Amino acid sequence: MKKSGLTEADIRTKYITPALVDAGWDIQKQIREEKYFTDGRIRVRGSVAKRDKGKKADYILYYKRGIPLAVIEAKDNSHAVGAGLQQGLDYGDILDIPFVYSSNGDGFIEHDRTKHEGEVVRELTLDQFPSPDDLWRRYSEFKGFTNEEEKLVKQPHHFDKQGRSLRYYQEIAVNRTIEAIAKGLDRILLVMATGTGKTLTAFQIIWRIWKSGENKRILFLADRNILVDDPIRKYFGSMKDVVHKIQRGKVSKAHQIYFALYQAVTGNEDYADVFKEYSRDFFDLIIIDECHRGSAAADSAWRRVLEYFDSATHIGLTATPKETTTVSNIDYFGEPVYTYSLKQGIEDGFLAPYKVVRFTIDKDAEGWRPVDGFTDKHGNIIPDREYNQKDYDRNLILEKRTKLVARKVTEFLKETDRYSKTIVFCIDIDHAERMRQALINLNADLVAKDSRYVMRITGDEKAGKMQLDNFMDEEQSYPVIATTSKLLTTGVDIPTCKFIVLDANIGSMTEFKQIIGRGTRISEDYGKMYFTIMDFRNVTRHFADPDFDGVPEQATHFGPDDTPVPEDEIEVDQETGAVEEEGVEWDDDGGEIEEDKVKRFYVDNVEVKLFNQRIQYYGDDGKLVTESLKDFSRKQINERYSSLDDFLRHWKDSEKKQAIVEELEQNGVVFKELQKMVDKDLDPFDLICHVAFDQPPLTRKERAESVKKRNYFGKYSGTAKQVLQALLDKYEDEGLENLEDMKVLRLDPFNKLGSPMEIVQEFGGRDEYLNAIHKIENELYLAS
């Protein structure tokens, strides 16, 4: 066969791959063909979630494991040799790969992204493709690596025996960090959205530095036990001889990789300043997890640890860099060497999209003022003023409000799946306990089966904290609902969490991002493709803030009259106007301590009602869309078909009606959800006509009966007539899809009439059978 008649796959096999092998590329270790590097975005409409196709490069070439150098886009020989170059450049930009190639089997077009002048694009014959060493030399010259720097930069990633590889953005994060360290940068910031694998990224950084052959000592620093114990268990289990966790004054200097809580190395009166047991230059590298907390403030007691080990390279990891008038990650670490945002994670299909259900409660919208002398349920007189959302559950407890929230959460679970893991974020520990009790009363049947159905998981509650691992475990059914205040805001990996309930006043953008991150992990094996945020405090207004998913901007100054507390974290006492900070601290084990400074009034006789609820979806542009499913579907259909006549013409001319349905589904039209709204057994044709063009619909049964009344089957006889009558019954019960799928002939009752081949022959062959189906479809829609 001539080259011009070969498929793209043939071109790769017969021409491109041999050229790469001849150039010295190892087909097992360095060449990855048809490499998907994204999973494909998940789109949600109603309760249905579907994935787009992921992005796929025809070839990615690696110098060493985890160090990509080139991407190649292939085309069949009917295209020009450079036809794939633009797509390759798009992929090269996404993947941070320096050399991009296009080929049609005749040769290559190279685009050198390291050049900004001279011959950026050049044509190569098949036998001129560069070797791995040649491309590395060019890249190394571009970066200006010395021999000593190359030793670290060329160290490959850790090989996972289970076959798991890093995602493309993790490779970029690791490689940029390693290159920055090699170049002597001593303060490095990595910003990666929650759920994108910061800990795995940190492990690969540590691994490559440790394996580079130098005697380097590394400290991993965090402020909660789970942030330390989790990486040790997941990634460092096979390295026990070199790993040590510093605990309550136990000083060891015989290891190379150390893990510690700030609390353990700063200590208390009994073992203060344990970190000073190590010399100032003991550590070469310190990784600070969740660096927006703990030591982020310049005057923090924990900042002393970093200042003491100031000769080490400091790497800050966070999903939410903090930039306020008193705290600046950028001021300390510099601009991020790499940022991977929540928006990009959702676009790539690595993070779950969300829909938001906002509730407006009457007392939240209107406020509440007690009459003169009004007392709470304990007989305490409530001060006369207007109370609002900032007061509720902090200094004024409207018990019926708590019950209303618990009821709406329970209703949503009953309508979807009562075993969907759910986190309810509350104002404080007291609020979390009252919410737990309200949820228990509304779910008494499931609590009777297992008391762990609803649990309070807060820092002061040992029984709840003991169940945290089970709550995080995909394979454990209990606990199902966790009420909390601060403990679960960060550092907790719960892949199957489907509901985030917000009943806390969250002014801080940093905290809001962390909380949303509890739901962004995907667990397809357990049916978790998206998550729902139930917002009772209008907290999701933060989604509309440009800072929500933007690049952090450094706050450099504040005026003489400004409060030193960042504006987004201010709590104002309603009576005195005094500014007070959140009364939450962390104990020596990274647990939550709450200081109860506020006098509370408990009111059980004030009615509370729901004003309204509104559903919003994550839109194509990354913004929340407030739009009914019907309106959205109408818009999508009208974008493709300008009028009813236009649609009817396309429908009639289409050999496979299901193709039209599938195209609309790809663009977010969910026919199953539309059918629920209409509450009739309509097929996609009638749903389209009714929703988009306001036509009165006919049910599938009505359409089938109409065909039978016209005695359409009179022209057929024997087995052929039986088959068509059975297909019409199948359409009436199940819809259009089975009518057009020949696999249906293997099912009952068709398998009793003969094999698929025998049935088709009754019509005179495959083409005649398909023609008969097409005619039935025309008859079905004749009544439109």
Side-chain angles (χ1 to χ4, degrees):
M1 183 181 291
K2 292 182 180 180
K3 186 187 286 188
S4 59
L6 296 177
T7 65
E8 180 188 304
D10 292 332
I11 292 293
R12 291 199 308 268
T13 301
K14 295 177 181 291
Y15 295 96
I16 300 176
T17 300
L20 299 179
V21 173
D22 289 345
W25 295 88
D26 189 312
I27 198 167
Q28 298 296 326
K29 296 180 180 180
Q30 294 178 302
I31 300 174
R32 294 291 177 267
E33 188 175 354
E34 292 199 283
K35 166 85 171 176
Y36 278 95
F37 58 88
T38 72
D39 282 358
R41 177 175 171 169
I42 297 169
R43 299 184 186 274
V44 181
R45 284 294 177 268
S47 60
V48 178
K50 289 190 175 183
R51 274 197 185 276
D52 292 345
K53 288 185 178 179
K55 289 186 172 72
K56 178 182 69 175
D58 291 325
Y59 292 90
I60 298 178
L61 306 183
Y62 292 83
Y63 181 60
K64 290 192 175 182
R65 189 169 53 250
I67 307 175
L69 281 182
V71 60
I72 305 172
E73 278 304 300
K75 297 294 180 182
D76 64 44
N77 200 248
S78 66
H79 291 80
V81 65
L85 196 60
Q86 187 56 58
Q87 185 178 15
L89 284 170
D90 290 341
Y91 290 171
D93 187 50
I94 295 169
L95 300 170
D96 201 25
I97 290 178
F99 303 104
V100 177
Y101 297 88
S102 173
S103 178
N104 65 353
D106 289 339
F108 295 94
I109 296 291
E110 176 191 82
H111 185 111
D112 186 344
R113 298 179 67 239
T114 69
K115 288 184 177 181
H116 302 289
E117 58 182 11
E119 192 180 30
V120 176
V121 179
R122 61 173 181 157
E123 188 164 1
L124 305 171
T125 62
L126 287 175
D127 59 2
Q128 287 179 320
F129 194 86
S131 69
D133 287 338
D134 183 32
L135 284 190
W136 177 258
R137 176 187 54 76
R138 290 162 61 186
Y139 179 69
S140 183
E141 288 174 357
F142 164 67
K143 289 289 186 177
F145 295 138
T146 64
N147 291 337
E148 191 64 25
E149 290 167 356
E150 272 202 10
K151 183 179 179 182
L152 175 57
V153 172
K154 289 167 67 173
Q155 179 62 43
H157 287 356
H158 173 263
F159 175 70
D160 189 322
K161 293 180 180 178
Q162 296 180 4
R164 294 172 299 188
S165 59
L166 291 186
R167 293 170 175 170
Y168 81 87
Y169 62 85
Q170 293 169 333
E171 283 186 348
I172 297 173
V174 173
N175 289 330
R176 287 196 184 179
T177 302
I178 292 296
E179 289 182 7
I181 294 171
K183 283 293 185 181
L185 196 65
D186 58 2
R187 299 292 182 267
I188 300 167
L189 180 62
L190 271 179
V191 178
M192 297 172 65
T194 299
T196 57
K198 290 189 297 294
T199 307
L200 174 57
T201 301
F203 165 73
Q204 289 287 2
I205 292 168
I206 291 171
W207 172 270
R208 283 178 64 173
I209 291 172
W210 178 62
K211 293 295 286 185
S212 64
E214 299 183 31
N215 186 25
K216 291 190 177 290
R217 288 188 287 247
I218 302 164
L219 172 64
F220 187 98
L221 199 56
D223 63 359
R224 300 190 190 179
N225 257 323
I226 193 168
L227 299 177
V228 167
D229 294 340
D230 205 41
I232 292 175
R233 176 176 55 84
K234 282 185 177 178
Y235 305 115
F236 292 89
S238 62
M239 302 168 64
K240 293 179 180 178
D241 292 341
V242 299
V243 171
H244 173 68
K245 181 181 177 182
I246 302 171
Q247 300 184 71
R248 294 191 178 273
K250 294 181 181 179
V251 176
S252 170
K253 300 180 181 179
H255 299 79
Q256 290 173 288
I257 302 173
Y258 296 77
F259 288 81
L261 292 176
Y262 286 107
Q263 297 91 322
V265 294
T266 54
N268 54 31
E269 294 84 358
D270 297 327
Y271 50 95
D273 292 349
V274 173
F275 64 92
K276 291 185 178 179
E277 294 293 324
Y278 298 91
S279 63
R280 294 180 69 103
D281 61 354
F282 184 83
F283 295 110
D284 302 286
L285 173 68
I286 299 178
I287 294 180
I288 304 102
D289 198 13
E290 305 294 356
C291 67
H292 63 278
R293 293 199 312 256
S295 59
D299 58 353
S300 161
W302 291 348
R303 175 66 75 88
R304 294 183 303 119
V305 179
L306 302 186
E307 291 171 345
Y308 182 78
F309 297 115
D310 61 355
S311 64
T313 298
H314 295 179
I315 301 176
L317 304 177
T318 182
T320 53
K322 202 164 191 177
E323 297 302 319
T324 70
T325 51
T326 58
V327 176
S328 174
N329 286 138
I330 291 177
D331 183 58
Y332 186 82
F333 291 103
E335 294 291 336
V337 296
Y338 184 62
T339 297
Y340 189 74
S341 67
L342 171 65
K343 183 178 180 180
Q344 189 61 52
I346 293 175
E347 181 67 31
D348 289 340
F350 296 127
L351 295 179
Y354 46 82
K355 64 180 181 180
V356 175
V357 185
R358 285 183 177 173
F359 299 86
T360 303
I361 297 173
D362 61 347
K363 298 300 184 291
D364 292 21
E366 299 173 341
W368 177 73
R369 182 174 180 176
V371 297
D372 189 36
F374 192 95
T375 60
D376 72 358
K377 72 177 187 178
H378 300 302
N380 300 306
I381 295 178
I382 301 176
D384 179 18
R385 68 175 177 84
E386 186 167 296
Y387 293 85
N388 59 35
Q389 199 175 65
K390 286 194 173 183
D391 297 299
Y392 303 147
D393 297 298
R394 187 169 177 80
N395 49 42
L396 179 71
I397 286 81
L398 299 179
E399 294 188 351
K400 291 190 177 182
R401 187 188 182 285
T402 304
K403 291 176 181 177
L404 172 62
V405 172
R407 187 173 76 249
K408 296 309 296 182
V409 172
T410 300
E411 286 174 3
F412 259 72
L413 289 174
K414 286 182 176 179
E415 289 173 7
T416 53
D417 175 10
R418 294 185 74 184
Y419 284 91
S420 294
K421 290 196 175 179
T422 303
I423 307 176
V424 185
F425 287 97
C426 302
I427 293 286
D428 54 26
I429 289 173
D430 175 73
H431 185 202
E433 175 57 26
R434 287 184 288 103
M435 187 64 71
R436 182 187 74 88
Q437 294 171 15
L439 286 164
I440 285 174
N441 289 336
L442 290 165
N443 295 275
D445 55 335
L446 297 186
V447 173
K449 293 180 180 179
D450 195 308
S451 62
R452 296 173 300 166
Y453 182 78
V454 183
M455 295 201 75
R456 172 165 63 90
I457 302 180
T458 50
D460 70 321
E461 226 290 317
K462 289 185 178 179
K465 283 200 293 186
M466 287 176 64
Q467 289 298 323
L468 182 54
D469 283 345
N470 288 332
F471 189 57
M472 294 165 60
D473 192 335
E474 293 172 291
E475 297 184 357
Q476 296 297 321
S477 298
Y478 299 97
V480 175
I481 305 173
T483 65
T484 190
S485 56
K486 299 290 181 184
L487 189 63
L488 301 186
T489 57
T490 187
V492 182
D493 185 355
I494 311 167
T496 52
C497 179
K498 291 184 178 180
F499 285 92
I500 300 288
V501 180
L502 303 175
D503 196 26
N505 299 320
I506 302 164
S508 163
M509 178 65 79
T510 299
E511 185 178 2
F512 176 68
K513 286 183 178 181
Q514 291 285 346
I515 287 173
I516 297 307
R518 299 313 103 209
T520 54
R521 289 171 175 84
I522 295 170
S523 182
E524 292 190 51
D525 291 344
Y526 291 85
K528 161 71 181 300
M529 297 281 280
Y530 68 95
F531 66 106
T532 300
I533 303 164
M534 302 178 67
D535 180 10
F536 292 90
R537 303 259 179 173
N538 196 26
V539 175
T540 51
R541 67 186 185 280
H542 286 305
F543 282 129
D545 191 319
D547 289 338
F548 172 70
D549 206 26
V551 177
E553 294 184 6
Q554 186 175 8
T556 57
H557 66 276
F558 56 95
D561 297 326
D562 294 339
T563 171
V565 181
E567 186 176 354
D568 62 358
E569 295 179 2
I570 290 177
E571 292 287 349
V572 179
D573 185 281
Q574 296 296 318
E575 284 189 281
T576 66
V579 174
E580 57 185 36
E581 291 189 62
E582 196 80 45
V584 176
E585 297 178 354
W586 305 104
D587 63 20
D588 289 347
D589 291 320
E592 183 180 2
I593 300 174
E594 186 165 315
E595 297 179 10
D596 189 356
K597 299 177 181 178
V598 183
K599 180 177 178 60
R600 291 187 170 99
F601 298 97
Y602 293 81
V603 179
D604 62 354
N605 58 350
V606 172
E607 295 300 322
V608 176
K609 297 178 182 178
L610 189 68
F611 262 179
N612 62 57
Q613 69 183 53
R614 179 174 52 158
I615 298 177
Q616 297 175 297
Y617 296 93
Y618 186 91
D620 290 346
D621 59 358
K623 297 178 181 178
L624 284 174
V625 178
T626 304
E627 190 172 38
S628 73
L629 184 61
K630 187 175 180 179
D631 290 341
F632 173 85
S633 301
R634 180 187 291 115
K635 185 169 72 175
Q636 293 297 316
I637 295 166
N638 288 337
E639 283 179 359
R640 284 153 187 81
Y641 307 104
S642 59
S643 64
L644 176 62
D645 288 341
D646 184 30
F647 167 69
L648 292 175
R649 185 170 61 254
H650 278 85
W651 185 268
K652 184 178 181 181
D653 292 345
S654 175
E655 289 296 322
K656 286 200 72 175
K657 318 299 185 193
Q658 189 62 25
I660 293 177
V661 175
E662 289 172 359
E663 182 189 4
L664 288 170
E665 285 180 333
Q666 284 290 322
N667 287 279
V669 178
V670 184
F671 289 99
K672 287 182 180 178
E673 292 297 313
L674 285 174
Q675 189 168 316
K676 288 180 186 177
M677 292 175 59
V678 177
D679 198 25
K680 288 184 178 180
D681 288 330
L682 305 184
D683 79 353
F685 175 87
D686 279 285
L687 283 169
I688 292 168
C689 292
H690 179 58
V691 169
F693 305 110
D694 297 318
Q695 296 298 300
L698 292 176
T699 65
R700 293 196 302 268
K701 183 174 182 179
E702 288 170 334
R703 288 195 176 279
E705 289 296 328
S706 177
V707 173
K708 292 174 183 176
K709 286 177 182 177
R710 292 197 296 272
N711 194 28
Y712 172 74
F713 300 123
K715 64 181 75 173
Y716 295 95
S717 61
T719 301
K721 184 175 183 178
Q722 289 178 276
V723 168
L724 292 177
Q725 288 174 329
L727 279 170
L728 198 60
D729 291 339
K730 204 80 170 172
Y731 162 81
E732 185 178 328
D733 292 337
E734 300 176 13
L736 179 69
E737 188 173 355
N738 283 322
L739 197 62
E740 294 186 334
D741 191 346
M742 290 187 67
K743 292 178 182 177
V744 75
L745 299 180
R746 301 173 185 170
L747 305 177
D748 186 66
F750 306 100
N751 54 11
K752 296 175 182 175
L753 301 174
S755 68
M757 186 176 293
E758 290 170 338
I759 290 174
V760 166
Q761 289 304 317
E762 290 288 331
F763 291 84
R766 186 176 185 276
D767 291 342
E768 287 77 6
Y769 169 79
L770 292 175
N771 186 48
I773 298 301
H774 192 61
K775 287 181 178 178
I776 285 186
E777 289 177 334
N778 288 338
E779 287 293 319
L780 278 169
Y781 302 114
L782 200 61
S784 336

